[in-house]
């Protein structure tokens, strides 16, 4: 293993209905989810419910049932909408989490695919809005791939990495705390305002840093910890743990997402290989995390427990060097991540503005500084806050990051044709392929699905049939494509699965 | 199978990359400034109206 491992990104999108404060965010979010479901292959069918696991009686699995799916969205209550859920042809999950539409990408095996399926999530949100707004009676809805309203509320973009259970959690946490404190200089999306509610005027590198208050913990919504201890592996728990990373910013820049997943996976590889990062422990890491975010000149030093004083760039260079040394088997993507991270750290040291075409926070800051200079604006000018928000608008024309990408001012790694394919096709090399193909091929017979199971309700069987997909590496195209090819019906498919 | 057409690699050089290289290679202040001026003109044309009200009404509930 190198940068390659099972991974994925969950993104909660910010949502607003301008001029309609009476519409609840939960209802609006459910509109987004159900609108996409309506245009999926086999629409008008029963929507695939989320399967909540062995302990829940399947017939009681929460989600839309037939009658709810057929109802006009306006007839549904807030509570109904809270359960809006769809399992998508590309293996992702689209649902309402609290008061946000959330896209959980399918499991992929490498950082580039993670970028592709994250971008597919943006496209899915765009298509959903297009479907909704085609009805003139629907109020205008805006979706933002960001993390904060700058009034105190924050919502997450969570990364997930499958790791070996054999690696001690303490070693993981010790290595990752300083890494996550420093990582935003590459992965930050930038934010106007200092403090959780933007109490002080200014600009900071990370949109998330101010919302973190602890070093290690289970919470995600209050007293957020740098290291989150949630550990539902959705896989064999004896063999694997799932590292649930909640500190990350939502990135518009594909390069930032790529290096976020790539560099993190590389460091995890080093930790799994026994590389010790213990000497990099910081004094007061939570405070350092905030201070790194405020230091747009990238020159501030942090005090380490051993007395050294290093900048975020210094520390990340140490991480890169040690992790690179631990790589024994090289592959193209691993070498590319190592090379690009090295280049970017060098550029950050020399002249950050050379990264305005690659990193979100630099791209955003350059625009904001341009406005400040041209129009003589202070940091608390509403126009600057508008730029900050609209940078992450997912709309192709209105969204500022998308505008930069269309003009070539922000580099992309994937073209629209590749993203369109990833909307409909699951990754071929994980169980997401099985899940995605099941809901595409047998939309009427898949009663529920989750990361680790697909549940069939077929004419030929009185009982529901739960197909476990506990192993993320099984159910790939290579494993099961021939079964899909040979089966005419869902019952035939299940019979073939049983024989295989 | 359609999936086979998804390249597992990023595009090394697309036209936007090439266009961009000429910009990022020179960190020349004047060149950057003039590119930013062009960008601002473009952004002006799409920025939401009534920025103050729009931003004030963007109130989210927590998630996660």
């Amino acid at each position: 293993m190198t940068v390659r491992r099972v991974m994925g990104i969950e993104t909660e999108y910010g949502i607003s209905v301008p001029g309609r404060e009476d519409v609840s965010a939960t209802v609006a979010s459910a509109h987004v989810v159900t609108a996409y479901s309506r245009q999926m292959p086999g629409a008008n069918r029963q929507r695939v419910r989320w399967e909540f696991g062995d302990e829940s009686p399947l017939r009681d699995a929460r989600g839309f049932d037939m009658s709810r799916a057929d109802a006009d969205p306006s007839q549904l209550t807030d509570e109904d909408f809270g359960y809006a859920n769809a399992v998508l042809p590309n293996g992702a999950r689209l649902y309402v989490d609290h008061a946000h539409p959330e896209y959980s990408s399918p499991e992929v095996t490498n950082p580039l695919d993670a970028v592709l399926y994250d971008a597919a999530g943006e496209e899915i949100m765009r298509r959903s809005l297009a479907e909704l707004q085609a009805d003139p009676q629907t109020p205008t809805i805006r979706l933002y791939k960001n993390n904060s309203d700058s009034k105190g509320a924050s919502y997450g973009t969570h990364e997930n990495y499958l790791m070996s259970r054999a690696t001690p959690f303490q070693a993981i946490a010790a290595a990752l705390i300083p890494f996550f404190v420093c990582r935003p200089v590459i992965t930050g999306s930038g934010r106007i305002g200092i403090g959780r509610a933007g109490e002080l005027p200014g600009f900071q590198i990370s949109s998330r840093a101010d919302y973190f208050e602890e070093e290690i913990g289970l919470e995600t919504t209050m007293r957020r910890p740098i290291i989150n201890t949630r550990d539902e592996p959705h896989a064999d728990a004896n063999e694997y743990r799932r590292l649930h990373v909640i500190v990350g910013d939502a990135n518009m820049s594909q390069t930032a997402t790529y290096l976020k997943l790539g560099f993190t996976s590389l460091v995890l590889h080093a930790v799994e290989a026994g590389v010790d990062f213990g000497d990099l422990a910081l004094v007061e890491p939570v405070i350092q995390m905030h201070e790194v975010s405020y230091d747009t000149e990238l020159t501030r030093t942090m005090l380490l427990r051993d007395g050294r004083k290093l900048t975020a760039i210094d520390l990340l260079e140490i991480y890169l060097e040690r992790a690179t040394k631990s790589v024994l088997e090289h592959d193209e993507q691993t070498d590319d991540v190592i090379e690009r991270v090295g280049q970017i750290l060098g550029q950050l040291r020399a002249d950050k503005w050379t990264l305005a075409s690659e990193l979100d926070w630099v791209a955003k800051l350059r625009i904001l500084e341009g406005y400040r200079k041209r129009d003589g604006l202070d940091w608390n000018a509403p126009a600057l806050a508008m730029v900050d928000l609209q940078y992450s608008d997912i709309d192709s024309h209105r969204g500022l990051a998308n505008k930069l990408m269309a003009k070539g001012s922000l580099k992309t790694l994937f073209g629209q044709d590749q993203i369109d394919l990833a909307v409909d096709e699951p990754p071929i090399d994980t169980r997401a392929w099985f899940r995605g193909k099941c809901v595409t091929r047998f939309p009427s017979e898949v009663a529920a699905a989750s990361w680790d199971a697909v549940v069939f309700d077929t004419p030929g069987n009185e009982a529901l049939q739960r197909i476990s997909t506990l192993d993320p590496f099984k159910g790939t195209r290579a494993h099961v494509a021939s079964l899909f090819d040979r089966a005419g019906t869902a019952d035939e498919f299940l019979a073939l699965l049983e024989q295989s | 199978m359609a999936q086979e057409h998804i390249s597992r690699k990023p595009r090394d050089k697309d036209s936007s990359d090439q266009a961009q290289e000429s910009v990022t290679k020179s960190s020349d202040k004047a060149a950057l400034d003039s590119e930013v001026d062009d960008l601002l003109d473009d952004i002006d044309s799409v920025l939401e109206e009534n920025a103050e009200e729009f931003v004030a009404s963007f109130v989210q509930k927590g998630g996660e």
Side-chain angles (χ1 to χ4, degrees):
Chain A
M1 287 214 286
T2 47
V3 296
R4 305 179 73 86
R5 69 177 66 244
V6 171
M7 55 178 71
I9 307 174
E10 315 156 35
T11 307
E12 295 175 347
Y13 284 77
I15 185 164
S16 77
V17 190
R20 290 292 302 273
E21 279 77 21
D22 57 312
V23 178
S24 99
T26 305
V27 169
S29 299
H31 274 286
V32 170
V33 172
T34 54
Y36 191 75
S37 309
R38 279 202 298 276
Q39 50 163 23
M40 272 163 48
N44 298 327
R45 65 189 167 79
Q46 176 176 350
R47 267 186 267 306
V48 174
R49 296 180 290 187
W50 193 251
E51 201 263 326
F52 279 85
D54 283 329
E55 71 277 14
S56 313
L58 290 168
R59 289 293 184 188
D60 293 338
R62 293 183 288 173
F64 275 117
D65 61 24
M66 185 70 92
S67 61
R68 279 181 179 167
D70 288 343
D72 183 276
S74 65
Q75 295 170 329
L76 299 176
T77 66
D78 199 278
E79 188 177 75
D80 291 320
F81 270 128
Y83 300 138
N85 178 69
V87 180
L88 307 187
N90 74 355
R93 181 187 186 195
L94 180 67
Y95 69 116
V96 178
D97 192 7
H98 303 282
H100 302 272
E102 173 161 341
Y103 170 84
S104 294
S105 78
E107 306 91 326
V108 298
T109 61
N110 61 85
L112 277 177
D113 281 357
V115 175
L116 178 61
Y117 282 92
D118 183 61
E122 293 171 39
E123 177 61 24
I124 284 163
M125 293 293 176
R126 270 192 292 276
R127 292 186 189 184
S128 179
L129 276 192
E131 160 86 13
L132 269 179
Q133 312 275 228
D135 177 353
Q137 293 197 313
T138 310
T140 298
I141 297 177
R142 298 272 195 265
L143 291 176
Y144 300 94
K145 194 185 186 199
N146 67 357
N147 297 111
S148 164
D149 63 2
S150 276
K151 296 172 187 69
S154 186
Y155 33 99
T157 307
H158 298 170
E159 303 142 57
N160 294 291
Y161 302 92
L162 200 68
M163 294 192 71
S164 164
R165 177 67 66 184
T167 310
F169 188 74
Q170 283 313 316
I172 299 170
L176 289 183
I177 289 173
F179 181 67
F180 286 159
V181 166
C182 300
R183 193 180 72 156
V185 303
I186 298 174
T187 64
S189 284
R191 182 184 150 218
I192 294 248
I194 310 293
R196 298 158 66 90
E199 293 89 343
L200 294 173
F203 177 88
Q204 60 175 309
I205 293 171
S206 167
S207 61
R208 282 283 274 177
D210 276 343
Y211 302 96
F212 284 77
E213 301 172 78
E214 301 279 346
E215 292 181 37
I216 300 178
L218 186 57
E219 295 280 0
T220 59
T221 57
M222 48 194 291
R223 301 202 61 75
R224 292 184 185 88
I226 297 172
I227 301 295
N228 181 251
T229 53
R230 184 188 298 175
D231 180 18
E232 314 153 83
H234 300 305
D236 182 346
N238 293 315
E239 202 173 338
Y240 299 112
R241 77 167 74 251
R242 170 173 66 122
L243 184 71
H244 187 233
V245 175
I246 66 169
V247 290
D249 289 26
N251 290 113
M252 296 300 295
S253 158
Q254 294 177 4
T255 303
T257 300
Y258 174 47
L259 298 181
K260 178 168 67 180
L261 280 283
F263 197 5
T264 304
S265 189
L266 186 70
V267 169
L268 293 181
H269 165 75
V271 176
E272 287 173 325
V275 176
D276 183 16
F277 293 97
D279 63 306
L280 303 180
L282 301 171
V283 174
E284 301 272 23
V286 173
I287 292 170
Q288 305 288 9
M289 185 180 190
H290 301 171
E291 295 291 335
V292 165
S293 184
Y294 307 155
D295 176 32
T296 56
E297 296 303 313
L298 305 166
T299 52
R300 189 182 167 282
T301 57
M302 279 169 274
L303 182 61
L304 276 62
R305 285 204 201 135
D306 67 8
R308 278 180 291 171
K309 287 183 172 178
L310 298 174
T311 66
I313 296 172
D314 294 336
L315 275 157
L316 291 177
E317 283 178 344
I318 294 170
Y319 274 99
L320 179 64
E321 187 191 344
R322 282 188 203 171
T324 302
K325 277 188 191 154
S326 76
V327 175
L328 301 177
E329 297 166 59
H330 284 266
D331 61 68
E332 199 179 344
Q333 212 175 122
T334 303
D335 290 344
D336 187 53
V337 166
I338 290 169
E339 188 187 330
R340 288 197 190 209
V341 170
Q343 278 169 357
I344 281 180
L345 290 174
Q347 284 174 267
L348 283 172
R349 210 181 261 294
D351 178 4
K352 66 171 180 270
W353 298 115
T354 60
L355 292 165
S357 58
E358 300 198 72
L359 303 184
D360 282 317
W361 75 270
V362 185
K364 189 187 276 182
L365 181 57
R366 186 167 73 136
I367 296 169
L368 292 167
E369 290 288 12
Y371 269 98
R372 277 160 52 76
K373 193 171 158 198
R374 190 190 73 179
D375 299 344
L377 299 175
D378 293 329
W379 277 116
N380 52 14
L384 298 189
M386 192 66 246
V387 169
D388 186 13
L389 176 58
Q390 203 167 328
Y391 182 87
S392 64
D393 188 324
I394 58 144
D395 186 83
S396 307
H397 303 291
R398 202 172 42 242
L400 303 187
N402 287 328
K403 200 164 196 47
L404 296 182
M405 287 188 239
K407 289 174 68 76
S409 293
L410 188 60
K411 289 184 191 177
T412 55
L413 301 178
F414 292 100
Q416 189 60 41
D417 52 342
Q418 292 169 299
I419 294 168
D420 287 342
L421 266 177
V423 166
D424 293 324
E425 290 287 333
I428 60 172
D429 52 359
T430 66
R431 63 188 173 195
W433 202 83
F434 177 80
R435 182 187 317 121
K437 289 297 167 188
C438 282
V439 301
T440 306
R441 185 68 197 284
F442 307 114
S444 304
E445 291 88 3
V446 174
S450 67
W451 304 120
D452 50 20
V454 176
V455 178
F456 281 84
D457 185 356
T458 64
N461 249 299
E462 192 70 12
L464 295 174
Q465 309 224 28
R466 186 179 189 276
I467 311 298
S468 169
T469 54
L470 201 59
D471 185 340
F473 297 101
K474 287 192 178 153
T476 66
R477 188 175 72 182
H479 289 138
V480 292
S482 69
L483 303 185
F484 282 101
D485 291 343
R486 280 152 59 201
T489 65
D491 278 311
E492 285 171 26
F493 178 69
L494 292 174
L496 284 168
L497 255 187
E498 201 160 316
Q499 291 159 22
S500 68
Chain B
M1 169 117 338
Q3 175 71 13
E4 281 167 355
H5 298 297
I6 298 184
S7 161
R8 315 315 272 184
K9 291 193 281 181
R11 296 170 170 189
D12 287 328
K13 288 255 185 286
D14 62 18
S15 53
S16 67
D17 279 357
Q18 283 164 354
Q20 189 52 37
E21 268 175 22
S22 62
V23 175
T24 48
K25 263 185 191 159
S26 75
S27 188
D28 179 57
K29 199 87 178 100
L32 274 177
D33 283 353
S34 91
E35 203 217 343
V36 170
D37 285 344
D38 288 350
L39 282 178
L40 298 190
D41 289 344
D42 260 17
I43 292 170
D44 284 338
S45 67
V46 296
L47 266 193
E48 306 274 4
E49 290 172 12
N50 303 320
E52 186 160 11
E53 193 185 327
F54 197 99
V55 169
S57 71
F58 182 70
V59 179
Q60 300 292 290
K61 290 183 183 165
E64 318 189 42

